[in-house]
Amino acid sequence: MGAPARRSVLLGLGSAVAAGLGPQACAPASRSAAGGGVVAAGQPAALLIWAVARERLAGWPRKPDPDALATLPALAAGLPEIGALAGGGRSAGPEAIAALKPRLVIDYGDADPEHQGLAARMQARLGVDWRLIDGALPRIPEAFREAGRLLGVVDRAEALAEAAAGVIARWRKAPAGPAFYYARGGDGLETGFRGALATEVLEGAGWTNVAEGSRDIGRVTREQVAAWDPEAIVTLSPVFAAAAADDPLWRRRRDGRRRGLLLLPSLPFGWIDRPPSVNRLLGCAWLADPDAGWMERTVISRSLYGLAPAEVPHPRWIN
């Protein structure tokens, strides 16, 4: 959800965690087919709404794939795909959104003056209350609280916010990590440049992003990656990880040493982006306590999504 992507679509149209955050902590909220639902402007907003009051979500901007849906409650598969008003994926037309008769549209992401102005224009065009919530990672607790006020689930949101604040406080104190390149997609040649939302989880924990030249997401070449010579390659793609595992062009550094390859979990959503939303708390929790935080990550996963896999997947360094 980089700024240019959102802008183009808008213009075109542990114990602290466990307390109060069990799978039944979110009481169902009413949502009728005739209206009263809440529309997510993009996928980051959909995950925020899902975590805080999932029964209010009118539909997915982009429906999760079958593997992701298998780790979510049945409600997730039953929601329609309505398209996005902001962010990537199929765009939703104003007429289709109006037909849903929503009482509210929530956007979650860049909250600079330009995007605030775009939000105001979209509200005027749709005739529906449109709220833009700041999507900066350190502000996730505030995002939970604001969403809770808008959705009428203040107690639930406060429990999420307190847990998120604890995770972020520990994440900020995480030991510095290696110089890394973030390999997105099956070929690994899309990346988040230094300062992008896509790499905020790692950079905020003291890992150094070698990709420079932009502040968003873009395509690069193998030659560029080799010139940057990162200590580690980080990916969410099992396909790319399998292809790169024994590929000397990916694994061999200039001095002959073997480069690290880290596969981070991607289901039901990525731990560092895809999308850049509240799902990033899992990446923060792992970076804050890589060896002993598995129970906290399981509770966070259940709290955010409603169900957790039999075993929450672990990040894996590939030899």
Side-chain angles (χ1 to χ4, degrees), residues 13 39-40 82-85 92-102 105 126 128 130:
L13 265 152
V39 167
I82 61 177
L85 290 162
E95 296 80 8
I97 297 301
L100 294 171
K101 299 180 180 178
V105 175
L126 291 173
V128 177
W130 181 297

Side-chain angles (χ1 to χ4, degrees), residues 179-272:
F180 74 94
Y181 167 80
Y182 178 33
R184 296 174 103 242
D187 67 0
L189 294 177
E190 181 180 86
T191 196
F193 291 91
R194 187 177 299 171
L197 289 178
T199 52
E200 192 175 9
V201 168
L202 295 166
E203 291 180 36
W207 293 40
T208 301
N209 188 354
V210 299
E212 298 182 279
S214 177
R215 287 185 61 84
D216 195 52
I217 293 169
R219 298 285 297 176
V220 299
T221 65
R222 283 196 177 201
E223 290 75 19
Q224 285 176 299
V225 178
W228 287 324
D229 196 28
E231 297 173 78
I233 304 288
V234 180
T235 188
L236 298 176
S237 171
V239 172
F240 169 76
D246 295 314
D247 185 337
L249 292 177
W250 284 109
R251 299 303 303 275
R252 191 67 59 190
R253 300 193 65 195
R254 282 200 298 263
D255 62 7
R257 288 182 295 170
R258 190 166 174 81
R259 180 175 287 127
L261 177 60
L262 174 62
L263 176 61
L264 289 171
S266 59
L267 292 175
F269 303 100
W271 280 24
I272 56 173

Side-chain angles (χ1 to χ4, degrees), residues 27-208:
S30 61
R31 175 174 60 85
S32 70
V38 177
V39 167
Q43 203 74 343
L47 266 65
L48 175 63
I49 298 167
W50 181 268
V52 173
R54 58 187 62 98
E55 295 292 335
R56 294 282 181 88
L57 186 62
W60 294 106
R62 183 175 64 257
K63 195 156 188 172
D65 64 32
D67 287 342
L69 290 173
T71 70
L72 295 169
L75 173 64
L79 289 173
E81 179 174 304
I82 61 177
L85 290 162
R90 180 175 64 85
S91 296
E95 296 80 8
I97 297 301
L100 294 171
K101 299 180 180 178
R103 69 174 186 84
L104 176 66
V105 175
I106 291 179
D107 193 7
Y108 182 47
D110 301 298
D112 54 53
E114 180 180 3
H115 285 92
Q116 292 174 13
L118 288 168
R121 291 195 290 276
M122 289 298 289
Q123 175 170 310
R125 182 178 180 186
L126 291 173
V128 177
D129 189 15
W130 181 297
R131 299 298 181 93
L132 172 60
I133 298 177
D134 190 339
L137 192 154
R139 295 187 58 81
I140 285 178
E142 289 81 1
F144 280 137
R145 292 187 177 104
E146 185 172 352
R149 289 191 294 269
L150 292 170
L151 300 171
V153 285
V154 173
D155 290 346
R156 160 70 178 173
E158 183 59 32
L160 284 164
E162 290 180 2
V167 169
I168 290 171
R170 294 190 297 277
W171 165 73
R172 289 182 183 275
K173 299 176 183 178
F180 74 94
Y181 167 80
Y182 178 33
R184 296 174 103 242
D187 67 0
L189 294 177
E190 181 180 86
T191 196
F193 291 91
R194 187 177 299 171
L197 289 178
T199 52
E200 192 175 9
V201 168
L202 295 166
E203 291 180 36
W207 293 40
T208 301

